[in-house]
Amino acid sequence: MRKLLFILFFSWLQSCNQEKIGTQVDKDGVVTKMPFLWKSRISDGARLSAISRGYLVDGKGLLCVAMKNSTPPEGYGDNFLQLKDIQTGRNIWEWDDLFDKRIANTIRQSIDVQKGRMLLHDGRSRYFVDTDAGKTIWKGKSELPGIGPHASFLDDRYFIKASDPEIMALDIAKDAIYEGNYQNGDLRQIAMPKYSDEYFKKVDGRVDMGGAIVNFHAFKKDGKSYLIIPYAEPGPAVKYSSVRALFGMYNLDTKKWIYDRIPLGISEDGTTASVVPVIDGDFVYMTSRAAVDCYEIMTGKRIWQTRLTETSTTALDMIVDGSNLLVNSGDAKLYCLDKTTGAQRWSLPSSAFASDLYCQDGTVYWIATNALRAADIQSGKMLWNMESPDKHEEGRSDSWFWGFVTGLPAYSGNKGKIYVSTNLNIYAFDAVK
């Protein structure tokens, strides 16, 4: 028995300690393999993909969705949350109080962490968790129709989108914004865009979309609280669709629209509602199909518009870093734009199957299809293009880099750290800088 325990302990050390391999580069100087600092398990065998944005909790832990009681390789299991020590990868706590033991949606803009508390929005389900102890404070479900998978957070308030129940009773779906209470999870409707019925057609026997909200953003400016709300409604049939995208800004303090029905995108293409709006100073950046638009945030005046490609596509994620606006696009390219003018600075191969973008110390990191990539933001030079270590560590060529990338910036002369998920594990690496 002691011999068995020794073997298991030795195997654990091998799996958790730094890998004894050298860094490998290709002919262009791109890193294709490098030693990891630690790895930590998130699945007992089945491939897992449940979170696409990384969250560091209280400066000490990395939040992960995990799976147990699964049937490998593709079987379903029970989901739960882990908080992993960012220095060692060991579990600080495990939280196992999900309804039906399942995460319903891919976790993205769905978590708010502040002062030892975490709110997790997962479709109809909401959870408020003590992040010091890993214990449930409250949890609840909503019966509102059409609840979106993502949320936006501001101080002690959170906001989601759902369809108006009274309008839905008429088999018409029109989305509104609901405000949530951190103390008990109660929801109340606060705003609905001024949808037009000009191109709306009702067909008996089915639910028809009269207006849809996908992503939105709550923020503060000059001490006042606002929502930027992109939305879509039926529009004229044009090149790629019969959908019209617009946006408005809502004052949460006065409960009034500052402006509404500002057109998004290139109208002759047909438009789609934006990815989550990116706010930077006096400007807001949004997308619609292949277009990226910059607007004055307080007036809704368009400053510039850039068409990324002639291909029928849409943006996947967008982030500002310094003077750069980075857009990962469904045409399998990562674009870098000048945020002031919209001029393209460079582009790199990417993927339509990608994680959210993460920027740290002048480098952008992301997962494209199954590879962890890094690029220098100023030059656009590719720095990393690595396959999952699970292939050679565990003989699992079916376990890819997939999910999220996040990190810890360089500090006190020490290199930063990068944390990335595969279908089976979390890995920690030294960052580029």
Side-chain angles (χ1 to χ4, degrees), residues 12 103 203 254 257 325 343 373 411:
W12 177 82
I103 289 287
V203 178
T254 64
W257 290 90
L325 180 66
R373 295 183 180 178
Y411 62 97

Side-chain angles (χ1 to χ4, degrees), residues 297-349:
I297 198 165
M298 296 309 298
T299 66
K301 177 185 176 183
R302 181 184 286 165
I303 304 303
W304 55 255
Q305 180 178 85
T306 292
R307 183 195 287 271
L308 297 176
T309 174
E310 294 297 330
T311 304
S312 175
T313 187
T314 189
L316 306 175
D317 191 37
M318 179 169 59
I319 189 169
V320 165
D321 185 82
S323 64
N324 304 290
L325 180 66
L326 297 156
V327 185
N328 201 30
S329 174
D331 68 339
K333 285 188 179 180
L334 173 65
Y335 295 91
C336 180
L337 309 180
D338 182 321
K339 73 175 186 181
T340 304
T341 66
Q344 182 177 315
R345 290 179 166 169
W346 51 259
S347 67
L348 283 173

